[in-house]
Amino acid sequence: MEGVFVSDFIEPVRQRANFPPRIDVLDTTLRDGEQTPGVCFTLEEKLEIARKLSELGVDVIEAGFPVNSDEEMETVRTIKGLGLKSKVCGLARCITGDIDACMKADVDRVHIFIATSDIHLKYKLRIDEEKAFEQAVAATEYVKRHGLECEFSCEDATRTPLGRLVRFYNGVEKAGADIHNVPDTVGVMEPQAMYELVSALRRKLSKPISMHCHNDFGMATANTLAGIKAGASQAHVTVNGLGERGGNASLEQVMTAATAMYRIEHGIKLSLLKEASKLVERCSMIKLMPNFPVVGDNAFAHEAGIHVHGVLARAESYEPLTPEMVGQKRRIVMGKHTGKHAVANFVKERYNLDEQQIKAIVDKVRCLTINKKKITEGDVNAIVDSVMGSLPDTEKAVNLDEILVVTGNKITPTASVQLSLNGSRRVSAGVGTGPVDALSKAIQTALGEEIKLLNYKLEAISGGTDSLCSVEVVVEDMDGRNAVGVAVGGDIVMVSANALLESLNRIYAKRKSK
Ligand code: KIV
Ligand code: ZN
């Protein structure tokens, strides 16, 4: 497959597997995903997510548990009212009231479930197997009598004896269930066991089988794929792997692996995965780990050095698929492991600079990376601009030796500076409305002159709290001379100080040249 560079060892395994011709995706981000502790989507967010899931090509959206509240029922109904391409499904216990709430919400499919493991029957439901079986069959008949699609789950299926699972699934199949879902409710399976379980169920059942795996042991993706290898034709997933405890199988991982490793047909547009992940990250307020497979910020990031050399020579040396396939971009990052030469080569390949300028840029990058900053290509542009725009050291009248800035709650921001002006040492302090103001006052006192700060622009270059920032200032002296100063770095106060100094040095240079 074009753009995919996976192991040749997969091919014979793929040939032996019992893959279905196509897999359907049931996304449960809005139901199981919302059960993630701390996650609560607003109606607007649910609608936005549902639209994105449909655009992504999800076959079924599990939009909620309508019996939970009138509000939830209305939300599911509103999602259905969007008229999306995806079917809309509501969750229900095997209780008529729950199913009625789904029907009120106008869903296409009702996903009914009842626990079947000893532990759930005895301690949670406090009913015996017989009673649970009767409820499962009656609920299926009720859904079908109302002309809706019925998906049935044995909750905690993977801790239920096989004979009992077959009995329940057979029972609901006879009652008209359309699809059997196999929930690994507490994520206690491993791939070979899942393959054998689904193979056994397939031999006994006629209706399609669906996988619903939780990630308690980090096996959700592998278990979902193992079930698919055994013939399951639907996967329950969530965006970013949201879900209770360790989460559910991630849509991005399952579908990318199903495509790249097994070449299974499905309707998901992988190129929209990053976009969908970002949307859910924003709405859930759960920041994705940078190393999250497929859609994490580091999934296609390479730290300059040996890896970057390899990636630039031939991307597949360190990328099993192209970033574009999943809506990502390759990022070349410089960090603490990037040697001087790699930084210099990186800069040389991109900019036409002399040796002295390259050295200044390399020194700046190394100084930042040693202080744990990650420098991206975008950051390098800003560093190059600031270094190129700055005066040569020999032409600088003012040099900063030390600064100390104190700020905080109920403290007047105070700065002290030690600098040299044309070689003579000056020490001073100042207070201000904020740390940068205090710093500017201290510098002015040390220089013995007043300057006006006409403009101060602070920008974060890359995202995150440890991103680089750039500061641009415009200052004017008492004679109306003005100058611009630009600086880049990781510490807002230091960057502001350097930008101020740069602009002041330009004013001193102007005075000298006159
Ligand atoms: O994990 C689970 O068992 C569930 C059921 C409701 C299917 O989410
Ligand atoms: Zn679940």
Side-chain angles (χ1 to χ4, degrees):
M1 182 183 270
E2 213 184 316
V4 172
F5 315 98
V6 291
S7 171
D8 289 345
F9 291 112
I10 295 177
E11 192 48 28
V13 176
R14 200 180 76 81
Q15 304 269 350
R16 284 197 302 272
N18 292 311
F19 288 119
R22 181 191 197 272
I23 39 176
D24 282 351
V25 171
L26 180 148
D27 182 281
T28 182
T29 307
L30 297 178
R31 199 278 296 170
D32 226 341
E34 207 195 18
Q35 286 170 223
T36 307
V39 173
C40 172
F41 299 124
T42 63
L43 170 64
E44 279 315 313
E45 287 170 342
K46 285 191 178 178
L47 298 182
E48 205 181 338
I49 292 171
R51 281 193 203 96
K52 184 58 70 190
L53 292 174
S54 183
E55 190 190 343
L56 199 60
V58 158
D59 301 275
V60 186
I61 297 173
E62 188 164 67
F65 196 178
V67 79
N68 257 346
S69 63
D70 286 346
E71 196 196 346
E72 179 133 357
M73 189 279 293
E74 272 305 335
T75 302
V76 176
R77 198 178 157 79
T78 312
I79 291 173
K80 169 69 187 173
L82 293 175
L84 302 172
K85 248 178 116 188
S86 318
K87 285 183 186 170
V88 174
C89 167
L91 183 70
R93 289 166 296 178
C94 289
I95 296 175
T96 47
D98 284 31
I99 300 166
D100 290 341
C102 286
M103 292 191 295
K104 247 179 152 175
D106 197 24
V107 298
D108 303 293
R109 179 184 293 188
V110 185
H111 172 196
I112 53 171
F113 72 99
I114 195 158
T116 50
S117 64
D118 286 340
I119 195 162
H120 277 234
L121 284 171
K122 186 165 170 199
Y123 297 105
K124 189 183 83 172
L125 296 182
R126 299 193 189 177
I127 56 173
D128 61 14
E129 180 186 331
E130 248 356 269
K131 178 92 184 128
F133 182 77
E134 278 164 25
Q135 281 187 24
V137 171
T140 308
E141 283 167 350
Y142 190 70
V143 174
K144 292 313 294 178
R145 217 179 304 139
H146 289 86
L148 296 174
E149 267 184 31
C150 179
E151 174 161 347
F152 173 77
S153 283
C154 286
E155 190 189 8
D156 206 15
T158 51
R159 293 190 299 184
T160 302
L162 179 61
R164 193 183 299 162
L165 284 180
V166 172
R167 175 172 185 235
F168 272 72
Y169 287 127
N170 256 322
V172 297
E173 192 166 292
K174 283 198 190 101
D178 300 286
I179 177 161
H180 304 295
N181 185 46
V182 182
D184 186 18
T185 302
V186 281
V188 290
M189 284 295 259
E190 67 81 54
Q192 185 61 29
M194 189 61 100
Y195 182 86
E196 287 174 20
L197 170 62
V198 174
S199 301
L201 289 174
R202 272 200 77 214
R203 283 192 290 273
K204 305 277 182 192
L205 304 170
S206 328
K207 289 292 161 78
I209 294 181
S210 162
M211 306 308 304
H212 178 106
C213 298
H214 279 269
N215 206 27
D216 298 68
F217 287 87
M219 297 283 196
T221 297
N223 286 337
T224 304
L225 292 169
I228 291 169
K229 254 160 118 179
S233 56
Q234 179 181 271
H236 281 205
V237 291
T238 57
V239 176
N240 294 348
L242 287 186
E244 297 194 66
R245 307 181 310 280
N248 288 59
S250 120
L251 166 68
E252 305 79 15
Q253 295 172 23
V254 169
M255 296 318 292
T256 306
T259 312
M261 299 195 164
Y262 303 132
R263 293 187 253 134
I264 307 178
E265 290 288 314
H266 57 77
I268 299 296
K269 295 189 187 86
L270 297 183
S271 59
L272 295 180
L273 286 178
K274 178 68 183 177
E275 219 176 292
S277 159
K278 278 272 161 219
L279 170 66
V280 170
E281 183 182 43
R282 168 165 64 77
C283 298
S284 64
M285 296 205 281
I286 297 213
K287 179 104 187 90
L288 201 66
M289 292 184 305
N291 57 330
F292 195 87
V294 184
V295 284
D297 283 347
N298 286 355
F300 295 91
H302 308 276
E303 189 160 310
I306 296 172
H307 277 218
V308 168
H309 182 75
V311 164
L312 295 180
R314 200 158 174 95
E316 63 257 41
S317 13
Y318 289 102
E319 284 177 358
L321 29 107
T322 63
E324 296 75 26
M325 254 183 92
V326 290
Q328 281 268 48
K329 284 201 180 102
R330 179 173 307 127
R331 285 193 314 132
I332 305 294
V333 174
M334 271 166 278
K336 125 174 181 227
H337 302 110
T338 315
K340 261 188 174 175
H341 290 297
V343 179
N345 281 340
F346 184 88
V347 176
K348 272 185 206 158
E349 276 162 19
R350 288 164 177 75
Y351 307 94
N352 191 10
L353 301 174
D354 65 32
E355 285 303 318
Q356 215 184 347
Q357 288 165 327
I358 291 176
K359 185 180 174 313
I361 292 160
V362 170
D363 287 349
K364 178 95 194 170
V365 171
R366 292 283 290 163
C367 165
L368 290 163
T369 54
I370 284 160
N371 287 312
K372 293 198 173 172
K373 296 279 171 198
K374 292 257 178 248
I375 311 289
T376 63
E377 284 195 78
D379 297 333
V380 176
N381 286 334
I383 292 169
V384 169
D385 283 350
S386 80
V387 169
M388 296 289 293
S390 81
L391 284 173
D393 281 352
T394 47
E395 286 177 33
K396 286 182 182 162
V398 191
N399 281 295
L400 187 64
D401 298 322
E402 282 174 18
I403 71 168
L404 175 70
V405 178
V406 184
T407 188
N409 187 19
K410 294 188 186 156
I411 291 176
T412 305
T414 309
S416 66
V417 297
Q418 184 180 307
L419 51 78
S420 64
L421 173 62
N422 294 321
S424 93
R425 188 168 158 267
R426 311 276 181 103
V427 180
S428 185
V431 293
T433 51
V436 176
D437 189 37
L439 188 64
S440 153
K441 300 263 171 54
I443 292 174
Q444 292 178 52
T445 315
L447 295 175
E449 66 172 293
E450 263 183 56
I451 47 161
K452 253 197 254 166
L453 189 58
L454 298 182
N455 196 7
Y456 173 86
K457 195 167 98 193
L458 166 69
E459 257 175 44
I461 303 172
S462 33
T465 48
D466 70 342
S467 82
L468 286 196
C469 66
S470 115
V471 170
E472 186 184 305
V473 296
V474 183
V475 298
E476 188 176 84
D477 72 2
M478 295 317 283
D479 299 327
R481 281 184 206 91
N482 57 40
V484 179
V486 180
V488 173
D491 177 318
I492 293 180
V493 174
M494 280 310 300
V495 177
S496 303
N498 289 334
L500 271 173
L501 272 242
E502 180 68 29
S503 63
L504 286 167
N505 272 315
R506 287 187 179 281
I507 287 197
Y508 280 93
K510 281 186 184 177
R511 285 181 193 161
K512 208 169 143 193
S513 70
K514 211 178 161 200

PDB file of all heavy atoms in Angstrom, residues 135-154:
ATOM      1  N   GLN A 135     -34.691 -11.199  30.633  1.00  0.00           N
ATOM      2  CA  GLN A 135     -34.698  -9.745  30.381  1.00  0.00           C
ATOM      3  C   GLN A 135     -34.055  -9.420  29.033  1.00  0.00           C
ATOM      4  O   GLN A 135     -34.538  -8.557  28.299  1.00  0.00           O
ATOM      5  CB  GLN A 135     -33.930  -9.006  31.474  1.00  0.00           C
ATOM      6  CG  GLN A 135     -34.734  -8.834  32.744  1.00  0.00           C
ATOM      7  CD  GLN A 135     -33.994  -7.940  33.751  1.00  0.00           C
ATOM      8  OE1 GLN A 135     -33.161  -7.131  33.396  1.00  0.00           O
ATOM      9  NE2 GLN A 135     -34.316  -8.098  35.009  1.00  0.00           N
ATOM     10  N   ALA A 136     -32.972 -10.133  28.721  1.00  0.00           N
ATOM     11  CA  ALA A 136     -32.253  -9.874  27.457  1.00  0.00           C
ATOM     12  C   ALA A 136     -33.161 -10.185  26.268  1.00  0.00           C
ATOM     13  O   ALA A 136     -33.272  -9.381  25.320  1.00  0.00           O
ATOM     14  CB  ALA A 136     -30.982 -10.720  27.402  1.00  0.00           C
ATOM     15  N   VAL A 137     -33.814 -11.339  26.340  1.00  0.00           N
ATOM     16  CA  VAL A 137     -34.676 -11.745  25.227  1.00  0.00           C
ATOM     17  C   VAL A 137     -35.880 -10.799  25.105  1.00  0.00           C
ATOM     18  O   VAL A 137     -36.218 -10.322  24.006  1.00  0.00           O
ATOM     19  CB  VAL A 137     -35.120 -13.219  25.399  1.00  0.00           C
ATOM     20  CG1 VAL A 137     -36.184 -13.602  24.373  1.00  0.00           C
ATOM     21  CG2 VAL A 137     -33.904 -14.151  25.291  1.00  0.00           C
ATOM     22  N   ALA A 138     -36.483 -10.489  26.262  1.00  0.00           N
ATOM     23  CA  ALA A 138     -37.670  -9.613  26.231  1.00  0.00           C
ATOM     24  C   ALA A 138     -37.299  -8.239  25.681  1.00  0.00           C
ATOM     25  O   ALA A 138     -38.047  -7.652  24.882  1.00  0.00           O
ATOM     26  CB  ALA A 138     -38.251  -9.492  27.635  1.00  0.00           C
ATOM     27  N   ALA A 139     -36.148  -7.721  26.085  1.00  0.00           N
ATOM     28  CA  ALA A 139     -35.741  -6.383  25.629  1.00  0.00           C
ATOM     29  C   ALA A 139     -35.495  -6.395  24.115  1.00  0.00           C
ATOM     30  O   ALA A 139     -35.875  -5.464  23.396  1.00  0.00           O
ATOM     31  CB  ALA A 139     -34.485  -5.940  26.366  1.00  0.00           C
ATOM     32  N   THR A 140     -34.867  -7.467  23.638  1.00  0.00           N
ATOM     33  CA  THR A 140     -34.609  -7.563  22.189  1.00  0.00           C
ATOM     34  C   THR A 140     -35.938  -7.569  21.427  1.00  0.00           C
ATOM     35  O   THR A 140     -36.108  -6.843  20.439  1.00  0.00           O
ATOM     36  CB  THR A 140     -33.824  -8.862  21.871  1.00  0.00           C
ATOM     37  OG1 THR A 140     -32.690  -8.914  22.713  1.00  0.00           O
ATOM     38  CG2 THR A 140     -33.387  -8.918  20.419  1.00  0.00           C
ATOM     39  N   GLU A 141     -36.865  -8.392  21.935  1.00  0.00           N
ATOM     40  CA  GLU A 141     -38.183  -8.464  21.257  1.00  0.00           C
ATOM     41  C   GLU A 141     -38.848  -7.085  21.245  1.00  0.00           C
ATOM     42  O   GLU A 141     -39.420  -6.662  20.247  1.00  0.00           O
ATOM     43  CB  GLU A 141     -39.086  -9.474  21.972  1.00  0.00           C
ATOM     44  CG  GLU A 141     -38.701 -10.912  21.635  1.00  0.00           C
ATOM     45  CD  GLU A 141     -39.360 -11.934  22.569  1.00  0.00           C
ATOM     46  OE1 GLU A 141     -39.958 -11.517  23.596  1.00  0.00           O
ATOM     47  OE2 GLU A 141     -39.246 -13.145  22.282  1.00  0.00           O
ATOM     48  N   TYR A 142     -38.714  -6.371  22.366  1.00  0.00           N
ATOM     49  CA  TYR A 142     -39.346  -5.047  22.490  1.00  0.00           C
ATOM     50  C   TYR A 142     -38.754  -4.073  21.454  1.00  0.00           C
ATOM     51  O   TYR A 142     -39.484  -3.353  20.773  1.00  0.00           O
ATOM     52  CB  TYR A 142     -39.115  -4.533  23.919  1.00  0.00           C
ATOM     53  CG  TYR A 142     -39.911  -3.300  24.271  1.00  0.00           C
ATOM     54  CD1 TYR A 142     -41.294  -3.362  24.432  1.00  0.00           C
ATOM     55  CD2 TYR A 142     -39.274  -2.075  24.450  1.00  0.00           C
ATOM     56  CE1 TYR A 142     -42.026  -2.213  24.755  1.00  0.00           C
ATOM     57  CE2 TYR A 142     -39.998  -0.929  24.779  1.00  0.00           C
ATOM     58  CZ  TYR A 142     -41.365  -1.005  24.927  1.00  0.00           C
ATOM     59  OH  TYR A 142     -42.082   0.120  25.245  1.00  0.00           O
ATOM     60  N   VAL A 143     -37.422  -4.086  21.347  1.00  0.00           N
ATOM     61  CA  VAL A 143     -36.769  -3.183  20.367  1.00  0.00           C
ATOM     62  C   VAL A 143     -37.230  -3.550  18.957  1.00  0.00           C
ATOM     63  O   VAL A 143     -37.606  -2.674  18.160  1.00  0.00           O
ATOM     64  CB  VAL A 143     -35.218  -3.289  20.456  1.00  0.00           C
ATOM     65  CG1 VAL A 143     -34.550  -2.475  19.341  1.00  0.00           C
ATOM     66  CG2 VAL A 143     -34.713  -2.828  21.822  1.00  0.00           C
ATOM     67  N   LYS A 144     -37.221  -4.822  18.658  1.00  0.00           N
ATOM     68  CA  LYS A 144     -37.548  -5.261  17.287  1.00  0.00           C
ATOM     69  C   LYS A 144     -39.030  -5.003  16.961  1.00  0.00           C
ATOM     70  O   LYS A 144     -39.361  -4.661  15.837  1.00  0.00           O
ATOM     71  CB  LYS A 144     -37.195  -6.737  17.078  1.00  0.00           C
ATOM     72  CG  LYS A 144     -35.715  -7.040  17.087  1.00  0.00           C
ATOM     73  CD  LYS A 144     -34.870  -6.120  16.234  1.00  0.00           C
ATOM     74  CE  LYS A 144     -35.096  -6.204  14.760  1.00  0.00           C
ATOM     75  NZ  LYS A 144     -34.257  -5.224  14.011  1.00  0.00           N
ATOM     76  N   ARG A 145     -39.878  -5.166  17.993  1.00  0.00           N
ATOM     77  CA  ARG A 145     -41.301  -4.900  17.772  1.00  0.00           C
ATOM     78  C   ARG A 145     -41.522  -3.454  17.342  1.00  0.00           C
ATOM     79  O   ARG A 145     -42.466  -3.114  16.657  1.00  0.00           O
ATOM     80  CB  ARG A 145     -42.067  -5.170  19.076  1.00  0.00           C
ATOM     81  CG  ARG A 145     -43.431  -5.806  18.825  1.00  0.00           C
ATOM     82  CD  ARG A 145     -44.176  -6.084  20.132  1.00  0.00           C
ATOM     83  NE  ARG A 145     -43.398  -6.909  21.045  1.00  0.00           N
ATOM     84  CZ  ARG A 145     -43.325  -6.697  22.366  1.00  0.00           C
ATOM     85  NH1 ARG A 145     -43.940  -5.678  22.936  1.00  0.00           N
ATOM     86  NH2 ARG A 145     -42.626  -7.503  23.131  1.00  0.00           N
ATOM     87  N   HIS A 146     -40.611  -2.572  17.766  1.00  0.00           N
ATOM     88  CA  HIS A 146     -40.751  -1.157  17.404  1.00  0.00           C
ATOM     89  C   HIS A 146     -39.958  -0.805  16.145  1.00  0.00           C
ATOM     90  O   HIS A 146     -39.769   0.375  15.836  1.00  0.00           O
ATOM     91  CB  HIS A 146     -40.345  -0.260  18.578  1.00  0.00           C
ATOM     92  CG  HIS A 146     -41.340  -0.315  19.689  1.00  0.00           C
ATOM     93  ND1 HIS A 146     -41.301  -1.275  20.683  1.00  0.00           N
ATOM     94  CD2 HIS A 146     -42.462   0.420  19.921  1.00  0.00           C
ATOM     95  CE1 HIS A 146     -42.326  -1.110  21.495  1.00  0.00           C
ATOM     96  NE2 HIS A 146     -43.052  -0.092  21.054  1.00  0.00           N
ATOM     97  N   GLY A 147     -39.487  -1.834  15.486  1.00  0.00           N
ATOM     98  CA  GLY A 147     -38.875  -1.637  14.161  1.00  0.00           C
ATOM     99  C   GLY A 147     -37.492  -1.005  14.164  1.00  0.00           C
ATOM    100  O   GLY A 147     -37.056  -0.469  13.146  1.00  0.00           O
ATOM    101  N   LEU A 148     -36.782  -1.102  15.304  1.00  0.00           N
ATOM    102  CA  LEU A 148     -35.440  -0.498  15.331  1.00  0.00           C
ATOM    103  C   LEU A 148     -34.356  -1.559  15.234  1.00  0.00           C
ATOM    104  O   LEU A 148     -34.591  -2.728  15.539  1.00  0.00           O
ATOM    105  CB  LEU A 148     -35.257   0.282  16.637  1.00  0.00           C
ATOM    106  CG  LEU A 148     -36.193   1.470  16.813  1.00  0.00           C
ATOM    107  CD1 LEU A 148     -36.016   2.077  18.189  1.00  0.00           C
ATOM    108  CD2 LEU A 148     -35.922   2.513  15.741  1.00  0.00           C
ATOM    109  N   GLU A 149     -33.159  -1.103  14.846  1.00  0.00           N
ATOM    110  CA  GLU A 149     -32.012  -2.030  14.853  1.00  0.00           C
ATOM    111  C   GLU A 149     -31.654  -2.324  16.300  1.00  0.00           C
ATOM    112  O   GLU A 149     -31.736  -1.433  17.154  1.00  0.00           O
ATOM    113  CB  GLU A 149     -30.802  -1.340  14.221  1.00  0.00           C
ATOM    114  CG  GLU A 149     -30.660  -1.597  12.753  1.00  0.00           C
ATOM    115  CD  GLU A 149     -29.394  -0.969  12.202  1.00  0.00           C
ATOM    116  OE1 GLU A 149     -28.381  -0.863  12.931  1.00  0.00           O
ATOM    117  OE2 GLU A 149     -29.447  -0.578  11.030  1.00  0.00           O
ATOM    118  N   CYS A 150     -31.242  -3.560  16.560  1.00  0.00           N
ATOM    119  CA  CYS A 150     -30.909  -3.936  17.936  1.00  0.00           C
ATOM    120  C   CYS A 150     -29.494  -4.517  18.009  1.00  0.00           C
ATOM    121  O   CYS A 150     -29.180  -5.497  17.348  1.00  0.00           O
ATOM    122  CB  CYS A 150     -31.919  -4.967  18.445  1.00  0.00           C
ATOM    123  SG  CYS A 150     -31.579  -5.498  20.113  1.00  0.00           S
ATOM    124  N   GLU A 151     -28.648  -3.848  18.801  1.00  0.00           N
ATOM    125  CA  GLU A 151     -27.307  -4.387  19.082  1.00  0.00           C
ATOM    126  C   GLU A 151     -27.339  -4.859  20.522  1.00  0.00           C
ATOM    127  O   GLU A 151     -27.797  -4.123  21.416  1.00  0.00           O
ATOM    128  CB  GLU A 151     -26.255  -3.283  18.882  1.00  0.00           C
ATOM    129  CG  GLU A 151     -24.858  -3.714  19.298  1.00  0.00           C
ATOM    130  CD  GLU A 151     -23.750  -2.858  18.702  1.00  0.00           C
ATOM    131  OE1 GLU A 151     -24.016  -2.060  17.769  1.00  0.00           O
ATOM    132  OE2 GLU A 151     -22.606  -2.999  19.163  1.00  0.00           O
ATOM    133  N   PHE A 152     -26.876  -6.081  20.765  1.00  0.00           N
ATOM    134  CA  PHE A 152     -26.956  -6.629  22.127  1.00  0.00           C
ATOM    135  C   PHE A 152     -25.559  -6.887  22.684  1.00  0.00           C
ATOM    136  O   PHE A 152     -24.697  -7.460  22.014  1.00  0.00           O
ATOM    137  CB  PHE A 152     -27.757  -7.934  22.139  1.00  0.00           C
ATOM    138  CG  PHE A 152     -27.707  -8.611  23.485  1.00  0.00           C
ATOM    139  CD1 PHE A 152     -28.472  -8.137  24.544  1.00  0.00           C
ATOM    140  CD2 PHE A 152     -26.859  -9.700  23.704  1.00  0.00           C
ATOM    141  CE1 PHE A 152     -28.394  -8.726  25.810  1.00  0.00           C
ATOM    142  CE2 PHE A 152     -26.773 -10.302  24.961  1.00  0.00           C
ATOM    143  CZ  PHE A 152     -27.548  -9.806  26.014  1.00  0.00           C
ATOM    144  N   SER A 153     -25.347  -6.466  23.950  1.00  0.00           N
ATOM    145  CA  SER A 153     -24.066  -6.705  24.632  1.00  0.00           C
ATOM    146  C   SER A 153     -24.247  -7.531  25.884  1.00  0.00           C
ATOM    147  O   SER A 153     -25.099  -7.206  26.724  1.00  0.00           O
ATOM    148  CB  SER A 153     -23.466  -5.376  25.105  1.00  0.00           C
ATOM    149  OG  SER A 153     -22.886  -4.670  24.064  1.00  0.00           O
ATOM    150  N   CYS A 154     -23.404  -8.556  26.039  1.00  0.00           N
ATOM    151  CA  CYS A 154     -23.268  -9.221  27.339  1.00  0.00           C
ATOM    152  C   CYS A 154     -22.209  -8.416  28.081  1.00  0.00           C
ATOM    153  O   CYS A 154     -21.011  -8.535  27.768  1.00  0.00           O
ATOM    154  CB  CYS A 154     -22.732 -10.643  27.169  1.00  0.00           C
ATOM    155  SG  CYS A 154     -23.925 -11.814  26.531  1.00  0.00           S
TER     156      CYS A 154
END
